[in-house]
Amino acid sequence: MRLVEWLRRRDPGLAATRRAARTAVVMPVLFAFCAGVLKAPTVASFAAFGAFAMLLLVDFPGSAGQRIRAQLQLAVAWLLLVSLGTVAGYSVWAAVVVTAVVGFAVLFSGVVSSVLAGAGTSLLLSFILSVATPGSLSTLPDRLAGVVIAAVAAVFAVTFLWPRTSVDPLGAPAARVCRAAAAQLRSEALDSVDVCAVRSRETTTLIDELRRTFTATPYRPTGLSTGSRALVRLVDELTWLSGILDEPGPEATTCDGESAAVQLAAADVLELSAELLENGSGNVDKLTSATQVLRDAVAKLEDGAVERLPSTYRSETDLLSSLNVSFRAQEVAFGVLLIAQNVETARRAAQRPWTDRLLGRDPGALAGPFASATERAAAHLERHSVWLHNSIRGAVGLAAAVALANLTGVEHGFWVILGTLSVLRSNALSTGQNAYRAIAGTVIGSIVGAGLLQLIGDNRTALWILLPIAVLVAGIVPAAISFATGQAAFTVTLVILFNIAQPEGWSLILFRIGDIALGCAVSVAVGLLFWPRGASKAVGKALAEAYVDSAQYLVSVVGYAVSCCAPGPRMPQDGRRAAAAARRLDDTFRTYLAERGAKTVPLSEMTALVTGVVAVRLAADAVLELWERYADGRPPSDDRAAAQAALLASADRLLQWYSTLAGALDGRSAVPEPLPHDYPTKTRLVDAVRNDLYDTDDQATPTAIRILWTNDHLEVVRRLQPGLVTAAASSTRTDPSG
């Protein structure tokens, strides 16, 4: 019981233990069957390594059916890569070129799906195993037979041997945030100040938990399926909504019946969204009906805001105080509708007939899988992308290892390349540290293996008994103890495995130490050659690009809005650019979190800067949605020219400030001071609205309300600045490279 408790603390959900236990059962059985019964050493080697890679190095998420499909797809990829590696192994230069191409393709493809990212090491191992152990084409059938045996055993194991429960990493924590936000909105609508403060703290705590879950892996926890792509968007949207609710709400909420109605309707939508997130078989139609109720409440809110803006108000305070509550309700409603749309899309996708899933027919709210994959990949074809850096570095490292193993005549070329891969499993920003751990773990493992062989001698029975134990330990200790310990355990496993297949004693151990050290040296050299910067510097560049692109998107949207929503060529392009920069930032931030060692920038400050990008981009989305509902295509009219000029001036002012902040994050300038409230521009805007945007009955027009609410969205973006200045000052002060 103590051991189980220790494992649960070190290995949440016993995920690594489950993989290791399966492999410890399946791998020795396959090896014994192929080597002892079939008398086929090549089949035995590929079956053993295939089982190791398909069971220990991957852990596919999703339902049982999804996991089985993923295992079968992995098996097909293994068959293709083993065939390609066998053919490429005939020529040194063909092996080098093909290794570079395959290495880059496998590593870079992980950017489009967490499933591909998680299978990267397994896929590379299949190619390395075949290209580094040259053999004639006559050996290819035996190699493929070993892969097929391993694939069949892997599918059986994941289905029947300690099967993984279907776990949605984001659904449960997202549902808790939705429920907490719904309770907070109800408290605000009922003017329960004390209860609302407690609810606000609860919502903040839960959103922090959700973001930690989201960033806990080196890649986004989502695949290419429609449902997973919709759910992953919830993280940004719930973060933005939490930021809105975290600010103190305007007083006298209950005096505004329309705002209270919007808040209560939004709470209902969030409750139904939480129900669907927790129970995928829930009724989607109820959520659809609730969102329509919320939209109707927002329409009444806007009508009420127009009626409360008569021309008799002559001061800025009088003119705008009546709109504070309604703007907050409108802002909340926009965020809640976004959340509901993605929850509904995810659940409708999950409830599609199998024929629609097979043909890739989506519910319509999102682009198809191929378009999504292309968009994600294109976002990282940029010189500052850490994922691109890692992919190029990995491809060059593996190709260099293949060339070195062949040109220097190293007998065990497989170990040279495997040593390189051991280091390349880590990110490009901590190569030296992980190389040291890989070498140290390998040396320790070789010494332990030598000691075991010295004690055991030629007792093959003892080696067979130790093999499953070694596999079990090798699978558990990387997660439960450390990377170096896992490397040592893996080395012991290979020493035992190859001494069973072909007893070599000390000769194998000496080759293993020398070859793995050579492979690690290649990887370290490549890592020093390609982008040897610290993680904070990489995050700083990604933040700088994301802030500039998001602020430019905001300016474009404001320009689109004040021109009466006439179609403009820059607005969609800027939106796509901002989304691409956000994806690159997310992957870079994950690399920063995954890097071993002390962080030079406090995590809280870095997180604040990352979430600031989300706030700027979604504020632009909110302005866009506000005006698109009333797009009339008419050219700008003279009566709103002054208001348009005031809005554009405010937006340009924000763009200049965020561009300066980006320069500071990238090390090119000092951190700017927060912008003060721009009273002259605000006064001009108020005067323009009060004097110009009224109809013949002396009543404010809906355009007047939308202009004032657009200005409020810009003001929200301005109010982010003090917190961003504090975080940016901390990052530039503590990061010597910045």
Side-chain angles (χ1 to χ4, degrees), residues 309-331:
L309 195 65
S311 59
T312 54
Y313 285 131
R314 291 306 179 197
S315 71
E316 178 185 336
T317 302
D318 290 341
L319 184 64
L320 297 180
S321 60
S322 64
L323 298 179
N324 289 339
V325 175
S326 58
F327 168 71
R328 178 183 173 85
Q330 181 268 340
E331 190 180 23

Side-chain angles (χ1 to χ4, degrees), residues 574-658:
D574 287 337
R576 287 192 294 269
R577 186 182 297 115
R583 293 189 194 97
R584 291 194 298 272
L585 173 60
D586 178 78
D587 290 319
T588 308
F589 185 51
R590 290 171 187 280
T591 301
Y592 172 81
L593 294 177
E595 184 186 47
R596 292 173 173 85
K599 300 291 190 292
T600 57
V601 181
L603 181 58
S604 59
E605 308 293 356
M606 193 64 77
T607 302
L609 291 170
V610 171
T611 54
V613 172
V614 174
V616 176
R617 184 166 51 85
L618 287 182
D621 287 342
V623 173
L624 180 62
E625 193 273 344
L626 174 65
W627 287 87
E628 277 191 331
R629 279 180 287 159
Y630 299 95
D632 52 22
R634 292 186 293 108
S637 55
D638 294 337
D639 65 344
R640 62 188 78 174
Q644 293 162 356
L647 280 180
L648 287 174
S650 296
D652 287 335
R653 187 167 173 252
L654 289 173
L655 175 60
Q656 293 174 9
W657 189 91
Y658 279 99

Side-chain angles (χ1 to χ4, degrees), residues 384-387 389-390 393 423 426-434 527 530-539 587-596:
H384 292 147
S385 169
V386 170
W387 202 292
H389 294 180
N390 286 349
R393 168 181 165 271
V423 178
S426 62
N427 62 72
L429 304 178
S430 56
T431 301
Q433 187 181 71
N434 282 347
F530 289 93
W531 305 282
R533 305 186 186 100
S536 300
K537 182 71 173 179
V539 175
D587 290 319
T588 308
F589 185 51
R590 290 171 187 280
T591 301
Y592 172 81
L593 294 177
E595 184 186 47
R596 292 173 173 85

Side-chain angles (χ1 to χ4, degrees), residues 375 379 553 569-583:
E375 185 179 12
Y553 174 42
R570 294 180 58 199
M571 188 273 298
Q573 180 181 356
D574 287 337
R576 287 192 294 269
R577 186 182 297 115
R583 293 189 194 97

Side-chain angles (χ1 to χ4, degrees), residues 316 320 642-643 645-647 649-650 653 675-690 711 715 718:
E316 178 185 336
L320 297 180
L647 280 180
S650 296
R653 187 167 173 252
L675 291 175
H677 185 73
D678 188 3
Y679 288 102
T681 300
K682 188 68 170 287
T683 300
R684 289 197 301 272
L685 178 66
V686 170
D687 289 341
V689 169
R690 187 175 59 245
N711 184 74
E715 180 64 14
R718 186 195 67 81

Side-chain angles (χ1 to χ4, degrees), residues 330-597:
Q330 181 268 340
E331 190 180 23
V332 166
F334 169 73
V336 171
L337 288 171
L338 276 182
I339 292 166
Q341 178 184 7
N342 281 303
V343 172
E344 182 177 347
T345 299
R347 292 315 170 204
R348 288 195 184 280
Q351 295 171 5
R352 286 174 298 171
W354 70 269
T355 51
D356 287 352
R357 297 191 190 191
L358 181 64
L359 297 174
R361 293 172 179 165
D362 293 326
L366 294 175
F370 180 76
S372 176
T374 303
E375 185 179 12
R376 292 187 197 181
H380 285 270
L381 291 175
E382 196 273 342
R383 64 190 183 94
H384 292 147
S385 169
V386 170
W387 202 292
L388 179 64
H389 294 180
N390 286 349
S391 301
I392 295 176
R393 168 181 165 271
V396 173
L398 291 173
V402 170
L404 187 65
N406 282 276
L407 296 177
T408 59
V410 176
E411 182 178 349
H412 295 86
F414 171 72
W415 304 116
V416 176
I417 307 171
L418 190 63
T420 305
L421 181 62
S422 296
V423 178
L424 292 177
R425 287 189 305 167
S426 62
N427 62 72
L429 304 178
S430 56
T431 301
Q433 187 181 71
N434 282 347
Y436 170 79
R437 294 184 179 189
I439 295 173
T442 298
V443 172
I444 294 172
S446 298
I447 294 173
V448 173
L452 287 174
L453 293 182
Q454 189 73 12
L455 291 173
I456 295 170
D458 296 331
N459 191 335
R460 293 173 62 82
T461 302
L463 289 174
W464 276 108
I465 294 174
L466 286 174
L467 179 59
I469 298 175
V471 172
L472 181 65
V473 174
I476 294 175
V477 294
I481 301 179
S482 69
F483 174 80
T485 308
Q487 193 72 10
F490 180 51
T491 302
V492 171
T493 302
L494 293 178
V495 168
I496 295 173
L497 180 67
F498 277 88
N499 271 272
I500 293 175
Q502 185 179 359
E504 297 186 37
W506 276 95
S507 61
L508 172 65
I509 298 170
L510 293 176
F511 273 121
R512 170 69 170 153
I513 294 175
D515 296 347
I516 195 76
L518 186 60
C520 289
V522 171
S523 183
V524 171
V526 172
L528 293 175
L529 181 63
F530 289 93
W531 305 282
R533 305 186 186 100
S536 300
K537 182 71 173 179
V539 175
K541 284 189 173 296
L543 280 168
E545 293 176 353
Y547 272 115
V548 170
D549 290 342
S550 298
Q552 181 59 61
Y553 174 42
L554 178 63
V555 171
S556 298
V557 167
V558 171
Y560 165 82
V562 300
S563 63
C564 294
C565 309
R570 294 180 58 199
M571 188 273 298
Q573 180 181 356
D574 287 337
R576 287 192 294 269
R577 186 182 297 115
R583 293 189 194 97
R584 291 194 298 272
L585 173 60
D586 178 78
D587 290 319
T588 308
F589 185 51
R590 290 171 187 280
T591 301
Y592 172 81
L593 294 177
E595 184 186 47
R596 292 173 173 85

